[in-house]
Structures are given as structure tokens and as C-alpha cells.
Amino acid sequence: MARRGGVGELSRTENRIMAAAVRLFAAKGFDATTVQEVVEAAEVTKGALYHYFGSKDDLLYEIYRSLIGRQMADLDRILALDADPAATVRAIIVSLVETTASSADETAVFMREMHRLDADLMVTFRAERRRYHETFRAVVEQAQASGRFSTVVPAETTVLIALGVINQLPTWYRPDGPKSATRLGGEIADFVLAALRPVDR
């Protein structure tokens, strides 16, 4: 029973399977990891894996889907607060850095292996990323239209830079390093907001 973009809470078994897959994909690569190795590492049966995931592609995609699902939920929650644009942008960036840093292995595996996805899953993946991107961009565009943000840097460029930096976190961020994810998120937000600040303020 492949999820293929389904929604809802993951079961304990699904989480065990995904955690095992992340470890194996990180260590051996997607192609070199067999379904049998995943089920043995997760201590489940092959039937249990195929009950939740129709293929290795579905399993790889679910690693990402579970992360983007949390990030979209956080984004919707932040927007529902209806705070001022600067506070909203700051909250979005900090939240995104926190979830990306806490799921660094999952993000790194998916970004490295996503080209393995079949065409249908790739279309779904791109649609979900586009939804997040466009929602974030709309926040900046609306604030620029109202004069709250400078228009010197286009909203599209602003969001591309912010997301580009955050997407690279798994390649260099270390949870045991000198900065917490929250602090780092605040610094990235400061950088973005400095570029958006109207010149007369």
C-alpha cells in the first residue's frame, strides 16, 4: 500500500522502516541497498514494508514527504498568526532551519538520491516544493506591495536565496557545533530581512 503523497501520522512500524532506510541509504547509497537489508535493519517482515511502501522509490519519497509535511504544517501555523511581515518571515526561516537541521540525514539522503524517483513521484515532489516556495514568496510580495519591505531585491530572488542556503545545511551544519539551529535560523533571517528593509527605516 504505497503512500505516494498520502497524509496522516506515520505508524511506529513506518517510522522504524524509514529510520532503517535512512541509515542504509546514507551508508551504502540507494542503488546498493536492497529491500531485504531494509527489513532486516528495521526488524520487520518484507510484507510489512510492502504494506506501507510499494517500492524503494516510495520509501525514498516518503523520507522527504514526511519532512515537507511537517514544514508545510509549520508554515500554515505561522501564517495563521497573522503577524507583521518581518516577524512572519523570521518565523518561517527559523522554523525551516530547525526542521531541516533536526532531519539533516533525511534531507541529505533525499537530495542526493532524489533523481532515482520515478516520474510520477518526481512530479509530486516538485509540486510540494513549489507550494512551499510560492506561499513564502507571497508573504514577501504582499509586504513589498504595501511598502513594508523594499522592492530592491525581488521576492523571487529573496526566497531563492533563503531556501538555497537552508537546503545546503545538511552538507555543513553540525548539531554539536557552536550554534544551535534556532540561533543560526535567526542569523539567516537577519540577513534576509536586512535586504528587505526599506531604505528610509
Side-chain angles (χ1 to χ4, degrees):
M1 184 178 66
R3 277 179 169 267
R4 288 188 174 264
V7 295
E9 292 294 323
L10 297 177
S11 70
R12 183 177 301 178
T13 300
E14 286 174 285
N15 279 317
R16 284 171 58 189
I17 293 169
M18 287 172 57
V22 168
R23 292 194 302 271
L24 288 166
F25 293 166
K28 301 182 60 175
F30 179 77
D31 283 343
T33 300
T34 66
V35 170
Q36 185 60 37
E37 287 173 324
V38 175
V39 299
E40 289 176 359
E43 298 181 336
V44 299
T45 65
K46 191 172 290 188
L49 184 147
Y50 284 124
H51 174 72
Y52 295 108
F53 310 101
S55 65
K56 276 204 308 178
D57 276 7
D58 288 313
L59 182 51
L60 177 62
Y61 176 72
E62 182 62 25
I63 290 170
Y64 174 78
R65 192 210 67 85
S66 64
L67 175 59
I68 192 64
R70 295 195 304 273
Q71 292 174 337
M72 283 302 313
D74 287 344
L75 181 61
D76 290 340
R77 173 185 54 77
I78 291 166
L79 296 180
L81 297 174
D82 199 25
D84 68 81
T88 298
V89 167
R90 177 175 297 279
I92 290 171
I93 291 174
V94 171
S95 173
L96 193 57
V97 169
E98 289 174 339
T99 55
T100 300
S102 67
S103 304
D105 289 344
E106 290 90 333
T107 304
V109 165
F110 187 83
M111 297 306 289
R112 188 182 71 204
E113 305 285 3
M114 66 180 177
H115 64 284
R116 307 293 186 188
L117 293 179
D118 66 32
D120 289 344
L121 287 176
M122 184 60 77
V123 167
T124 304
F125 158 67
R126 288 173 174 161
E128 291 184 341
R129 288 191 66 174
R130 185 167 59 250
R131 181 186 168 214
Y132 193 102
H133 180 110
E134 291 176 351
T135 303
F136 188 2
R137 186 183 65 202
V139 172
V140 178
E141 287 175 335
Q142 290 165 12
Q144 289 178 324
S146 68
R148 306 284 293 276
F149 284 166
S150 168
T151 58
V152 172
V153 180
E156 176 72 6
T157 302
T158 300
V159 173
L160 283 172
I161 291 172
L163 297 183
V165 170
I166 296 169
N167 286 339
Q168 291 300 311
L169 284 180
T171 67
W172 58 268
Y173 178 75
R174 297 293 177 268
D176 58 352
K179 293 182 181 179
S180 68
T182 301
R183 179 181 170 188
L184 179 61
E187 292 176 354
I188 295 172
D190 287 340
F191 176 81
V192 171
L193 290 170
L196 293 170
R197 187 175 299 117
V199 294
D200 59 345
R201 294 190 180 182

